[in-house]
DNA sequence: ACCAAACTGACATGTGCCTGAACAGAAACG
DNA sequence: CGTTTCTGTTCAGGCACATGTCAGTTTGGT
């Protein structure tokens, strides 16, 4: 799952980011609304965490305008304990949930879990990427009509690449994502899994940048 | 039972969703009519909960057009206390029942139960899925002419898989559905039930994705 | 041409899943 | 009220497959 965190406080923000990452999700952290808009333009998010007390302009307006534009992305508001009016206004503006600061990180995880579950219940957002149809709910990929099922590790790896299609992912980053921070597996696991993904999805899907890392090949020939 | 909830208010909507879920049903929540139409196009519902005060267009028209199209799905209207005329118009337009806001969640459960009972008395919507004929009212399955009766747990599990045929259901999700949210039991109950379902319905019906979960096998062989 | 980095096929291992059986509780029956 | 039957749950043994490791080969940069 991919989360957009809009929070100007560095301490809180990094704590939240770390927690969400630890839960196995993918976070983009915007400290200002302008930044958030930029993120939103280039990526799809499954959840937005929105702090209403932001330096540049009102977060509420951001929310309202998104909703007015027909954007249904679930939004969870972060608000201080005494800002009851904010909370109500937020829900009225189209927020799905709110968290009262200071909140427990465990609580955050729990709410995230709820969103994941709710999200999983909806009709599947289906992504199309370079000839592949990605069914996130089914955790499978359709390639020329054939359904390809990925194993757990393969999926995590593919999802990581897929969620940031343009980005170059170093082997260290990918390793970190597969083996949450402990297991310093000193082997070529990533290379092996990249190979397995290529075998299943097509060799042209993943590009190697020697000495740096991997990335999804940009929807090359889909137009050609 | 599968319910379509059409309600734009987040607070009320989530409360209703949670209640229905706790009652052991399956909810899709649309916040707008357009969304509701989309849901309706891809799934069959046993009950529609319709709020008449929606942002985009009149809920009444939605109801009338459904009825005009021959759709017999029971519709329960959610209406504010003072909108008596709406209530009457709703019933005239083909609604089966109504709930006056603010309503008690227990009341909601009771009405749902009533619908379930009424529904059970009606000629059953019969689903056909990969060689099986599914009789939702009788909680039984016809396989090659033979009637197979499922027990309560087996049925809940099978129904869950069946209602979202393409989706991968993790063991945690299935457990949550069988034992509404408490039981942190570390046991292999789900595995056992999956096994029993397979024995009854055919081993090929349910697919295991190791480390992730289960899903109904897409009737690919029906083409072969 | 040389070296480093990446690819690939093969294999050992552990773990996640399956299954049969046994047990406990509840319901059905006399 | 006791017995039987059915449903739900637990457990242990076994198996298969995903996983991680490595050796040998290929690729690409300089």
């Amino acid at each position: 799952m991919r989360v957009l965190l809009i929070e100007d406080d560095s301490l809180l923000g990094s704590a939240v980011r770390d927690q969400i990452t630890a839960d196995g999700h993918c976070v983009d952290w915007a400290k200002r609304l302008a930044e958030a808009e930029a993120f939103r333009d280039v990526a799809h998010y499954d959840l937005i965490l929105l702090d209403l007390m932001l330096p540049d302009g009102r977060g509420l307006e951001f929310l309202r305008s998104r909703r007015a534009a027909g954007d249904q992305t679930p939004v969870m508001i972060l608000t201080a304990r005494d800002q009851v009016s904010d909370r109500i206004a937020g829900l009225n503006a189209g927020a799905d949930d709110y968290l009262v600061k200071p909140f427990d990180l465990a609580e955050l995880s729990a709410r995230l879990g709820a969103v994941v579950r709710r999200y999983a219940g909806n009709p599947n957002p289906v992504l199309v990427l370079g000839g592949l149809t990605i069914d996130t709910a089914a955790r499978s990929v359709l390639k020329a009509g054939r359904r390809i099922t990925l194993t757990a590790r393969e999926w995590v790896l593919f999802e990581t690449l897929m969620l940031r299609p343009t980005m170059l992912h170093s082997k260290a980053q990918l390793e970190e994502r597969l083996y949450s921070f402990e297991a310093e597996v000193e082997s070529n696991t990533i290379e092996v899994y990249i190979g397995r993904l290529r075998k299943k999805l097509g060799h042209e899907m993943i590009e190697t940048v020697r000495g740096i890392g991997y990335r999804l090949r940009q929807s090359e020939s889909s137009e050609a």
Side-chain angles (χ1 to χ4, degrees), chain A:
Chain A
M1 196 170 74
R2 187 153 180 187
V3 178
L4 174 58
L5 169 64
I6 310 176
E7 167 67 65
D8 60 313
D9 185 273
S10 291
L11 272 179
L12 181 59
S14 59
V16 169
R17 174 173 41 76
D18 294 347
Q19 177 66 42
I20 302 176
T21 305
D23 286 340
H25 307 296
C26 188
V27 187
D28 284 333
W29 179 10
K31 297 198 176 177
R32 308 181 154 273
L33 281 178
E35 217 176 319
E37 302 276 12
F39 275 125
R40 255 221 42 87
D41 287 338
V42 297
H44 161 82
Y45 294 96
D46 304 307
L47 173 69
I48 297 175
L49 283 174
L50 174 64
D51 182 7
L52 285 184
M53 304 289 285
L54 287 171
D56 59 347
R58 309 283 305 155
L60 268 184
E61 287 188 20
F62 171 83
L63 176 53
R64 275 202 208 90
S65 70
R66 293 309 322 152
R67 290 293 185 239
D71 185 345
Q72 308 261 339
T73 310
V75 171
M76 197 178 298
I77 288 181
L78 309 178
T79 165
R81 186 166 295 284
D82 48 346
Q83 308 287 321
V84 183
S85 59
D86 266 5
R87 231 141 69 201
I88 294 170
L91 290 174
N92 282 337
D96 297 81
D97 203 352
Y98 61 85
L99 273 173
V100 174
K101 292 193 277 192
F103 50 83
D104 195 318
L105 287 175
E107 166 104 24
L108 176 64
S109 286
R111 301 288 186 99
L112 275 180
V115 171
V116 171
R117 263 176 269 119
R118 208 179 306 164
Y119 166 81
N122 284 345
N124 335 332
V126 171
L127 297 170
V128 177
L129 210 74
L132 299 181
T133 306
I134 296 145
D135 188 337
T136 52
R139 284 197 159 209
S140 65
V141 177
L142 293 173
K143 183 190 176 191
R146 287 205 59 77
R147 155 163 268 133
I148 298 168
T149 302
L150 303 179
T151 70
R153 292 243 133 80
E154 286 167 0
W155 179 263
V156 171
L157 187 60
F158 180 59
E159 190 186 35
T160 308
L161 294 173
M162 181 187 74
L163 285 175
R164 302 178 191 273
T166 62
M167 178 175 161
L168 248 178
H169 303 260
S170 75
K171 269 195 277 195
Q173 285 172 329
L174 295 173
E175 235 161 53
E176 206 170 69
R177 201 152 155 79
L178 278 189
Y179 314 101
S180 325
F181 301 101
E182 349 100 33
E184 292 286 323
V185 272
E186 203 38 62
S187 80
N188 62 346
T189 323
I190 298 298
E191 290 170 15
V192 173
Y193 274 102
I194 291 285
R196 287 174 182 164
L197 272 180
R198 280 181 176 145
K199 188 174 279 180
K200 283 191 173 183
L201 306 177
H203 277 251
E204 70 287 353
M205 278 303 295
I206 300 169
E207 184 182 359
T208 303
V209 179
R210 211 183 154 86
I212 306 183
Y214 302 90
R215 84 170 140 224
L216 280 197
R217 183 167 303 258
Q218 281 319 70
S219 50
E220 0 85 43
S221 44
S222 60
E223 301 302 318

